[in-house]
Amino acid sequence: MDHAEQTQKIAAGQGFIAALDQSGGSTPKALKAYGVADDAWSNDTEMYALIHAMRTRIITAPSFSSGKIIGAILFERTMDGQIDGQPVPSVLTAQGVVPFLKIDKGLEDEADGVQLMKPIPGLADLLARAKGLGVFGTKERSVINSANATGIAAIVKQQFAVAQEVLDAGLMPILEPETNIKSATRAECDALLTSEILAALNALPAGVKVMLKLSLPAVPGTYAPLIAHPAVLKVVALSGGYARAEACAELAKNPGIIASFSRALLDDLRVDMTDAQFDATLGTAIDEIYAGSTVKSAPVAA
């Protein structure tokens, strides 16, 4: 797939994006959920080798290339790794899966009800390397914990500033200002965030497009104006801590949004499964998330 074909595949949205980008502190949690105990490695190199083996098993499972997964978000080490002697982005592209790269380096401490992204040193070089490996786009995460207008404005400003660097490098940014689904002011967060993003989208030059990765809204249909905006290629949703069944049910209430799930996709996979068991389990998760992404319940008002 060339860039235009990748753009069209994501825009059409007939499937979902797999988030395979656990990094840093989340890697041990991902391995533990997979059935790999903390004492299975003695340093970061061994730990990342184990997570790469898990991701390799996922990407090479027959169900992964069923056509229901249209994109995959990778951790930097996974992007730089290989599967059967081929760069991981090339393996994905050969399967018809559009590769993305997680570029954020974690979160700052909370201020004004939000956690901004930490600085991203060496971003220009990272983006150039990603483009050279055939990566289509990037993803950058920050977190909203409460309906603080000042904090949410700061989150959106930072997200769009980083997105501009990504656009300048010739890649497609996924902006991910995640709303904490446990927030006591979640619906208000969603409304403030939507308003701030709309203002930023309206300020973009004509023809520029970005993607958005958002928490499933407290009120279905909240993101309808974002979905319809000409500067938005696609809106995708994170599972945000929901179990898969609930995440898929909430997703189905929101026309125009597809999944970009991590835990909800991988939770039932175990290292000691046979290949057949592993593929069947992964296939079940893929089928459920695909249905939530493509088969929507009764239309809802914006």
Side-chain angles (χ1 to χ4, degrees):
M1 292 184 289
D2 61 22
H3 189 84
E5 290 170 330
Q6 291 175 323
T7 301
Q8 180 54 38
K9 183 150 197 171
I10 296 300
Q14 293 304 303
F16 69 94
I17 296 174
L20 306 177
D21 59 334
Q22 301 93 342
S23 62
S26 64
T27 301
K29 295 177 185 177
L31 286 170
K32 185 175 181 179
Y34 184 47
V36 179
D38 293 349
D39 60 3
W41 67 87
S42 57
N43 54 51
D44 283 354
T45 299
E46 293 177 359
M47 178 183 73
Y48 286 122
L50 288 168
I51 200 76
H52 185 71
M54 183 187 83
R55 290 170 179 154
T56 296
R57 196 178 187 192
I58 292 164
I59 292 169
T60 57
S63 58
F64 192 86
S65 57
S66 63
K68 297 178 179 178
I69 295 176
I70 60 172
I73 304 172
L74 305 175
F75 173 46
E76 182 180 347
R77 286 176 179 259
T78 307
M79 178 190 75
D80 290 332
Q82 295 190 342
I83 295 175
D84 295 332
Q86 296 295 317
V88 173
S90 297
V91 173
L92 291 170
T93 301
Q95 295 178 345
V97 178
V98 178
F100 292 84
L101 172 67
K102 167 189 161 67
I103 58 170
D104 66 86
K105 302 298 183 183
L107 303 171
E108 299 279 15
D109 292 337
E110 183 174 332
D112 294 325
V114 305
Q115 291 177 272
L116 295 170
M117 290 180 282
K118 290 180 177 179
I120 310 174
L123 179 58
D125 290 341
L126 175 61
L127 296 174
R129 193 166 83 247
K131 188 171 177 61
L133 286 167
V135 168
F136 172 73
T138 64
K139 189 211 76 167
E140 54 193 63
R141 174 179 176 262
S142 46
V143 173
I144 298 166
N145 292 311
S146 62
N148 182 304
T150 299
I152 291 174
I155 280 252
V156 172
K157 181 179 180 180
Q158 184 191 46
Q159 283 278 341
F160 274 84
V162 174
Q164 187 59 58
E165 294 186 61
V166 174
L167 289 164
D168 291 344
L171 297 168
M172 172 60 62
I174 301 177
L175 292 72
E176 186 186 11
E178 174 185 347
T179 299
N180 184 340
I181 64 169
K182 296 180 181 179
S183 171
T185 55
R186 181 176 157 209
E188 293 88 344
C189 291
D190 293 342
L192 284 169
L193 179 62
T194 299
S195 178
E196 287 288 341
I197 292 175
L198 280 173
L201 291 171
N202 289 336
L204 291 175
V208 172
K209 289 186 181 291
V210 299
M211 294 174 62
L212 302 171
K213 181 170 179 175
L214 306 173
S215 300
L216 290 158
V219 179
T222 295
Y223 303 143
L226 303 178
I227 296 164
H229 199 285
V232 175
L233 180 67
K234 200 70 186 175
V235 177
V236 305
L238 56 117
S239 53
Y242 281 124
R244 184 168 65 243
E246 189 173 7
C248 291
E250 291 297 314
L251 179 62
K253 298 175 185 176
N254 288 275
I257 302 179
I258 64 174
S260 177
F261 292 172
S262 176
R263 280 175 294 177
L265 173 64
L266 309 177
D267 263 355
D268 295 335
L269 301 177
R270 300 292 181 268
V271 66
D272 58 357
M273 287 177 167
T274 66
D275 288 345
Q277 290 171 331
F278 185 92
D279 185 56
T281 302
L282 179 61
T284 296
I286 288 171
D287 289 346
E288 292 177 8
I289 298 169
Y290 177 82
S293 297
T294 60
V295 182
K296 299 299 181 176
S297 51
V300 293

